[in-house]
mmCIF file of all heavy atoms in Angstrom:
data_model
loop_
_atom_site.group_PDB
_atom_site.id
_atom_site.type_symbol
_atom_site.label_atom_id
_atom_site.label_comp_id
_atom_site.label_asym_id
_atom_site.label_seq_id
_atom_site.Cartn_x
_atom_site.Cartn_y
_atom_site.Cartn_z
ATOM 1 N N GLY Y 1 -7.474 -7.021 -1.736
ATOM 2 C CA GLY Y 1 -7.741 -6.048 -0.703
ATOM 3 C C GLY Y 1 -8.756 -5.032 -1.239
ATOM 4 O O GLY Y 1 -8.709 -4.598 -2.365
ATOM 5 N N ASP Y 2 -9.644 -4.551 -0.312
ATOM 6 C CA ASP Y 2 -10.532 -3.522 -0.656
ATOM 7 C C ASP Y 2 -10.405 -2.379 0.299
ATOM 8 O O ASP Y 2 -9.798 -2.524 1.378
ATOM 9 C CB ASP Y 2 -12.004 -4.007 -0.738
ATOM 10 C CG ASP Y 2 -12.561 -4.479 0.569
ATOM 11 O OD1 ASP Y 2 -11.768 -4.546 1.555
ATOM 12 O OD2 ASP Y 2 -13.816 -4.693 0.748
ATOM 13 N N ASN Y 3 -10.864 -1.200 -0.061
ATOM 14 C CA ASN Y 3 -10.700 0.025 0.739
ATOM 15 C C ASN Y 3 -9.195 0.270 1.035
ATOM 16 O O ASN Y 3 -8.872 0.762 2.082
ATOM 17 C CB ASN Y 3 -11.518 -0.012 2.063
ATOM 18 C CG ASN Y 3 -11.781 1.323 2.662
ATOM 19 O OD1 ASN Y 3 -11.731 2.286 1.971
ATOM 20 N ND2 ASN Y 3 -11.993 1.354 4.007
ATOM 21 N N CYS Y 4 -8.368 0.038 -0.018
ATOM 22 C CA CYS Y 4 -6.936 0.216 0.181
ATOM 23 C C CYS Y 4 -6.360 0.730 -1.152
ATOM 24 O O CYS Y 4 -5.219 0.453 -1.442
ATOM 25 C CB CYS Y 4 -6.278 -1.046 0.576
ATOM 26 S SG CYS Y 4 -6.450 -2.405 -0.546
ATOM 27 N N GLY Y 5 -7.100 1.425 -1.924
ATOM 28 C CA GLY Y 5 -6.674 1.888 -3.215
ATOM 29 C C GLY Y 5 -5.499 2.772 -3.270
ATOM 30 O O GLY Y 5 -5.184 3.300 -2.210
ATOM 31 N N LEU Y 6 -4.915 3.027 -4.395
ATOM 32 C CA LEU Y 6 -3.769 3.901 -4.529
ATOM 33 C C LEU Y 6 -4.155 5.270 -4.793
ATOM 34 O O LEU Y 6 -5.102 5.562 -5.557
ATOM 35 C CB LEU Y 6 -2.944 3.326 -5.703
ATOM 36 C CG LEU Y 6 -1.541 3.842 -5.988
ATOM 37 C CD1 LEU Y 6 -0.618 3.520 -4.701
ATOM 38 C CD2 LEU Y 6 -0.928 3.263 -7.138
ATOM 39 N N ILE Y 7 -3.574 6.265 -4.079
ATOM 40 C CA ILE Y 7 -3.907 7.690 -4.237
ATOM 41 C C ILE Y 7 -3.420 8.272 -5.494
ATOM 42 O O ILE Y 7 -4.018 9.124 -6.107
ATOM 43 C CB ILE Y 7 -3.438 8.473 -3.027
ATOM 44 C CG1 ILE Y 7 -4.075 9.851 -3.026
ATOM 45 C CG2 ILE Y 7 -1.905 8.596 -2.899
ATOM 46 C CD1 ILE Y 7 -3.937 10.608 -1.751
ATOM 47 N N ALA Y 8 -2.195 7.805 -6.035
ATOM 48 C CA ALA Y 8 -1.616 8.322 -7.256
ATOM 49 C C ALA Y 8 -0.743 7.340 -7.831
ATOM 50 O O ALA Y 8 -0.234 6.352 -7.177
ATOM 51 C CB ALA Y 8 -0.774 9.596 -6.858
ATOM 52 N N GLN Y 9 -0.419 7.429 -9.117
ATOM 53 C CA GLN Y 9 0.259 6.467 -9.858
ATOM 54 C C GLN Y 9 1.654 6.108 -9.285
ATOM 55 O O GLN Y 9 2.093 4.933 -9.280
ATOM 56 C CB GLN Y 9 0.516 6.891 -11.309
ATOM 57 C CG GLN Y 9 1.094 5.865 -12.184
ATOM 58 C CD GLN Y 9 1.300 6.437 -13.630
ATOM 59 O OE1 GLN Y 9 1.016 7.586 -13.965
ATOM 60 N NE2 GLN Y 9 1.674 5.578 -14.461
ATOM 61 N N LYS Y 10 2.276 7.019 -8.733
ATOM 62 C CA LYS Y 10 3.684 6.894 -8.217
ATOM 63 C C LYS Y 10 3.737 6.809 -6.689
ATOM 64 O O LYS Y 10 4.739 6.974 -6.138
ATOM 65 C CB LYS Y 10 4.634 8.080 -8.671
ATOM 66 C CG LYS Y 10 4.631 8.263 -10.109
ATOM 67 C CD LYS Y 10 5.488 7.267 -10.841
ATOM 68 C CE LYS Y 10 5.632 7.570 -12.280
ATOM 69 N NZ LYS Y 10 6.357 6.604 -13.023
ATOM 70 N N ALA Y 11 2.688 6.426 -6.025
ATOM 71 C CA ALA Y 11 2.583 6.361 -4.634
ATOM 72 C C ALA Y 11 2.794 4.991 -4.048
ATOM 73 O O ALA Y 11 2.311 4.696 -2.932
ATOM 74 C CB ALA Y 11 1.283 7.010 -4.151
ATOM 75 N N ALA Y 12 3.429 4.101 -4.794
ATOM 76 C CA ALA Y 12 3.692 2.758 -4.316
ATOM 77 C C ALA Y 12 5.165 2.339 -4.586
ATOM 78 O O ALA Y 12 5.745 2.894 -5.594
ATOM 79 C CB ALA Y 12 2.759 1.751 -5.050
ATOM 80 N N THR Y 13 5.697 1.594 -3.735
ATOM 81 C CA THR Y 13 7.088 1.051 -3.920
ATOM 82 C C THR Y 13 7.204 -0.337 -3.337
ATOM 83 O O THR Y 13 6.318 -0.778 -2.663
ATOM 84 C CB THR Y 13 8.088 2.029 -3.228
ATOM 85 O OG1 THR Y 13 9.391 1.737 -3.634
ATOM 86 C CG2 THR Y 13 8.003 1.951 -1.712
ATOM 87 N N VAL Y 14 8.234 -0.987 -3.658
ATOM 88 C CA VAL Y 14 8.590 -2.257 -2.988
ATOM 89 C C VAL Y 14 9.915 -2.141 -2.202
ATOM 90 O O VAL Y 14 10.910 -1.643 -2.777
ATOM 91 C CB VAL Y 14 8.761 -3.372 -4.082
ATOM 92 C CG1 VAL Y 14 9.171 -4.654 -3.436
ATOM 93 C CG2 VAL Y 14 7.434 -3.582 -4.777
ATOM 94 N N ILE Y 15 9.878 -2.545 -1.025
ATOM 95 C CA ILE Y 15 11.008 -2.502 -0.142
ATOM 96 C C ILE Y 15 11.362 -3.868 0.200
ATOM 97 O O ILE Y 15 10.515 -4.627 0.904
ATOM 98 C CB ILE Y 15 10.788 -1.621 1.096
ATOM 99 C CG1 ILE Y 15 10.451 -0.172 0.670
ATOM 100 C CG2 ILE Y 15 12.032 -1.627 1.957
ATOM 101 C CD1 ILE Y 15 10.032 0.683 1.869
ATOM 102 N N GLY Y 16 12.510 -4.422 -0.216
ATOM 103 C CA GLY Y 16 12.798 -5.831 -0.149
ATOM 104 C C GLY Y 16 11.790 -6.568 -1.067
ATOM 105 O O GLY Y 16 11.893 -6.447 -2.284
ATOM 106 N N THR Y 17 10.902 -7.285 -0.467
ATOM 107 C CA THR Y 17 9.888 -7.984 -1.309
ATOM 108 C C THR Y 17 8.484 -7.516 -0.978
ATOM 109 O O THR Y 17 7.525 -8.141 -1.376
ATOM 110 C CB THR Y 17 10.019 -9.479 -1.134
ATOM 111 O OG1 THR Y 17 9.739 -9.840 0.221
ATOM 112 C CG2 THR Y 17 11.299 -10.024 -1.631
ATOM 113 N N VAL Y 18 8.396 -6.509 -0.102
ATOM 114 C CA VAL Y 18 7.116 -6.051 0.419
ATOM 115 C C VAL Y 18 6.627 -4.746 -0.216
ATOM 116 O O VAL Y 18 7.367 -3.736 -0.170
ATOM 117 C CB VAL Y 18 7.114 -5.822 1.906
ATOM 118 C CG1 VAL Y 18 5.805 -5.388 2.523
ATOM 119 C CG2 VAL Y 18 7.608 -7.158 2.638
ATOM 120 N N PRO Y 19 5.484 -4.771 -0.914
ATOM 121 C CA PRO Y 19 4.917 -3.489 -1.453
ATOM 122 C C PRO Y 19 4.387 -2.616 -0.356
ATOM 123 O O PRO Y 19 3.694 -3.080 0.606
ATOM 124 C CB PRO Y 19 3.804 -3.993 -2.400
ATOM 125 C CG PRO Y 19 3.939 -5.454 -2.588
ATOM 126 C CD PRO Y 19 4.733 -5.938 -1.398
ATOM 127 N N TYR Y 20 4.611 -1.277 -0.460
ATOM 128 C CA TYR Y 20 4.099 -0.300 0.471
ATOM 129 C C TYR Y 20 3.380 0.780 -0.402
ATOM 130 O O TYR Y 20 3.901 1.063 -1.467
ATOM 131 C CB TYR Y 20 5.224 0.390 1.170
ATOM 132 C CG TYR Y 20 5.800 -0.534 2.223
ATOM 133 C CD1 TYR Y 20 6.818 -1.420 1.918
ATOM 134 C CD2 TYR Y 20 5.443 -0.374 3.600
ATOM 135 C CE1 TYR Y 20 7.414 -2.216 2.890
ATOM 136 C CE2 TYR Y 20 6.090 -1.211 4.567
ATOM 137 C CZ TYR Y 20 7.017 -2.139 4.200
ATOM 138 O OH TYR Y 20 7.591 -2.973 5.133
ATOM 139 N N TRP Y 21 2.328 1.339 0.073
ATOM 140 C CA TRP Y 21 1.612 2.364 -0.725
ATOM 141 C C TRP Y 21 0.759 3.270 0.173
ATOM 142 O O TRP Y 21 0.476 2.999 1.301
ATOM 143 C CB TRP Y 21 0.786 1.792 -1.910
ATOM 144 C CG TRP Y 21 -0.467 1.007 -1.461
ATOM 145 C CD1 TRP Y 21 -1.665 1.430 -1.346
ATOM 146 C CD2 TRP Y 21 -0.441 -0.408 -1.095
ATOM 147 N NE1 TRP Y 21 -2.491 0.391 -0.962
ATOM 148 C CE2 TRP Y 21 -1.803 -0.709 -0.818
ATOM 149 C CE3 TRP Y 21 0.481 -1.389 -0.978
ATOM 150 C CZ2 TRP Y 21 -2.229 -2.000 -0.442
ATOM 151 C CZ3 TRP Y 21 0.093 -2.668 -0.595
ATOM 152 C CH2 TRP Y 21 -1.224 -2.935 -0.291
ATOM 153 N N MET Y 22 0.425 4.413 -0.497
ATOM 154 C CA MET Y 22 -0.410 5.483 0.129
ATOM 155 C C MET Y 22 -1.795 5.432 -0.555
ATOM 156 O O MET Y 22 -1.818 5.446 -1.772
ATOM 157 C CB MET Y 22 0.264 6.796 -0.028
ATOM 158 C CG MET Y 22 -0.499 7.988 0.533
ATOM 159 S SD MET Y 22 0.386 9.523 0.309
ATOM 160 C CE MET Y 22 -0.667 10.670 1.119
ATOM 161 N N SER Y 23 -2.793 5.448 0.297
ATOM 162 C CA SER Y 23 -4.174 5.577 -0.290
ATOM 163 C C SER Y 23 -4.688 6.991 0.086
ATOM 164 O O SER Y 23 -3.904 7.807 0.589
ATOM 165 C CB SER Y 23 -5.137 4.488 0.306
ATOM 166 O OG SER Y 23 -5.496 4.892 1.615
ATOM 167 N N ASP Y 24 -5.909 7.228 -0.173
ATOM 168 C CA ASP Y 24 -6.520 8.528 0.167
ATOM 169 C C ASP Y 24 -6.839 8.643 1.640
ATOM 170 O O ASP Y 24 -7.335 9.698 2.091
ATOM 171 C CB ASP Y 24 -7.717 8.860 -0.744
ATOM 172 C CG ASP Y 24 -8.843 7.878 -0.542
ATOM 173 O OD1 ASP Y 24 -8.682 6.861 0.188
ATOM 174 O OD2 ASP Y 24 -9.912 8.107 -1.114
ATOM 175 N N HIS Y 25 -6.576 7.562 2.403
ATOM 176 C CA HIS Y 25 -6.909 7.612 3.827
ATOM 177 C C HIS Y 25 -5.977 6.803 4.730
ATOM 178 O O HIS Y 25 -6.250 6.632 5.877
ATOM 179 C CB HIS Y 25 -8.415 7.069 4.005
ATOM 180 C CG HIS Y 25 -8.511 5.632 3.629
ATOM 181 N ND1 HIS Y 25 -8.735 5.223 2.324
ATOM 182 C CD2 HIS Y 25 -8.479 4.554 4.361
ATOM 183 C CE1 HIS Y 25 -8.825 3.915 2.307
ATOM 184 N NE2 HIS Y 25 -8.641 3.480 3.585
ATOM 185 N N GLY Y 26 -4.841 6.396 4.201
ATOM 186 C CA GLY Y 26 -3.909 5.683 5.012
ATOM 187 C C GLY Y 26 -2.735 5.146 4.275
ATOM 188 O O GLY Y 26 -2.691 5.332 3.071
ATOM 189 N N PHE Y 27 -1.910 4.431 4.942
ATOM 190 C CA PHE Y 27 -0.698 3.769 4.338
ATOM 191 C C PHE Y 27 -0.874 2.256 4.513
ATOM 192 O O PHE Y 27 -1.323 1.768 5.527
ATOM 193 C CB PHE Y 27 0.560 4.248 5.063
ATOM 194 C CG PHE Y 27 0.750 5.758 4.903
ATOM 195 C CD1 PHE Y 27 0.337 6.577 5.947
ATOM 196 C CD2 PHE Y 27 1.277 6.260 3.806
ATOM 197 C CE1 PHE Y 27 0.509 7.939 5.794
ATOM 198 C CE2 PHE Y 27 1.508 7.625 3.656
ATOM 199 C CZ PHE Y 27 1.084 8.466 4.669
ATOM 200 N N PHE Y 28 -0.466 1.551 3.481
ATOM 201 C CA PHE Y 28 -0.681 0.055 3.485
ATOM 202 C C PHE Y 28 0.597 -0.722 3.109
ATOM 203 O O PHE Y 28 1.409 -0.125 2.483
ATOM 204 C CB PHE Y 28 -1.781 -0.255 2.534
ATOM 205 C CG PHE Y 28 -3.142 0.238 2.965
ATOM 206 C CD1 PHE Y 28 -3.517 1.567 2.643
ATOM 207 C CD2 PHE Y 28 -4.013 -0.540 3.649
ATOM 208 C CE1 PHE Y 28 -4.741 2.028 3.041
ATOM 209 C CE2 PHE Y 28 -5.217 -0.047 4.085
ATOM 210 C CZ PHE Y 28 -5.615 1.215 3.774
ATOM 211 N N ARG Y 29 0.597 -2.019 3.333
ATOM 212 C CA ARG Y 29 1.669 -2.913 2.874
ATOM 213 C C ARG Y 29 1.012 -4.299 2.764
ATOM 214 O O ARG Y 29 -0.090 -4.607 3.302
ATOM 215 C CB ARG Y 29 2.816 -2.943 3.858
ATOM 216 C CG ARG Y 29 2.438 -3.615 5.233
ATOM 217 C CD ARG Y 29 3.612 -3.709 6.105
ATOM 218 N NE ARG Y 29 3.180 -3.919 7.452
ATOM 219 C CZ ARG Y 29 3.652 -3.270 8.546
ATOM 220 N NH1 ARG Y 29 4.586 -2.455 8.391
ATOM 221 N NH2 ARG Y 29 3.161 -3.522 9.695
ATOM 222 N N MET Y 30 1.721 -5.095 1.990
ATOM 223 C CA MET Y 30 1.299 -6.502 1.842
ATOM 224 C C MET Y 30 2.000 -7.256 2.994
ATOM 225 O O MET Y 30 3.247 -7.305 3.041
ATOM 226 C CB MET Y 30 1.687 -7.115 0.473
ATOM 227 C CG MET Y 30 0.848 -6.666 -0.655
ATOM 228 S SD MET Y 30 -0.841 -7.239 -0.450
ATOM 229 C CE MET Y 30 -0.666 -8.977 -0.566
ATOM 230 N N GLY Y 31 1.206 -7.880 3.814
ATOM 231 C CA GLY Y 31 1.729 -8.706 4.868
ATOM 232 C C GLY Y 31 1.574 -10.151 4.557
ATOM 233 O O GLY Y 31 0.987 -10.561 3.527
ATOM 234 N N SER Y 32 2.004 -10.995 5.491
ATOM 235 C CA SER Y 32 1.869 -12.436 5.192
ATOM 236 C C SER Y 32 0.388 -12.896 5.114
ATOM 237 O O SER Y 32 0.097 -13.876 4.461
ATOM 238 C CB SER Y 32 2.548 -13.241 6.310
ATOM 239 O OG SER Y 32 2.035 -12.910 7.559
ATOM 240 N N GLY Y 33 -0.496 -12.136 5.800
ATOM 241 C CA GLY Y 33 -1.958 -12.484 5.779
ATOM 242 C C GLY Y 33 -2.717 -11.649 4.759
ATOM 243 O O GLY Y 33 -3.931 -11.746 4.735
ATOM 244 N N GLY Y 34 -2.070 -10.883 3.936
ATOM 245 C CA GLY Y 34 -2.698 -10.052 2.943
ATOM 246 C C GLY Y 34 -2.448 -8.574 3.189
ATOM 247 O O GLY Y 34 -1.394 -8.187 3.764
ATOM 248 N N VAL Y 35 -3.350 -7.710 2.744
ATOM 249 C CA VAL Y 35 -3.225 -6.189 2.882
ATOM 250 C C VAL Y 35 -3.368 -5.822 4.365
ATOM 251 O O VAL Y 35 -4.242 -6.194 5.033
ATOM 252 C CB VAL Y 35 -4.317 -5.520 2.055
ATOM 253 C CG1 VAL Y 35 -4.165 -4.012 2.205
ATOM 254 C CG2 VAL Y 35 -4.024 -5.827 0.576
ATOM 255 N N GLU Y 36 -2.418 -4.988 4.795
ATOM 256 C CA GLU Y 36 -2.409 -4.499 6.198
ATOM 257 C C GLU Y 36 -2.309 -2.960 6.166
ATOM 258 O O GLU Y 36 -1.445 -2.431 5.440
ATOM 259 C CB GLU Y 36 -1.165 -4.978 6.964
ATOM 260 C CG GLU Y 36 -1.018 -6.443 7.085
ATOM 261 C CD GLU Y 36 0.272 -6.923 7.735
ATOM 262 O OE1 GLU Y 36 1.217 -5.997 7.898
ATOM 263 O OE2 GLU Y 36 0.413 -8.082 8.037
#
């Protein structure tokens, strides 16, 4: 994924099996088709 970087070291988590994180311009997760 590009344009989806992490804003800070502790700004990502996994809920179930899905990673969620905060970038400097939005919130993202890994979906079945890649970064969403």
Side-chain angles (χ1 to χ4, degrees):
D2 66 350
N3 201 24
C4 63
L6 190 62
I7 193 168
Q9 183 180 11
K10 303 284 185 188
T13 191
V14 174
I15 302 171
T17 59
V18 179
Y20 289 82
W21 68 95
M22 180 180 180
S23 79
D24 63 355
H25 64 278
F27 300 96
F28 294 85
R29 68 177 160 224
M30 283 295 298
S32 58
V35 174
E36 302 173 348

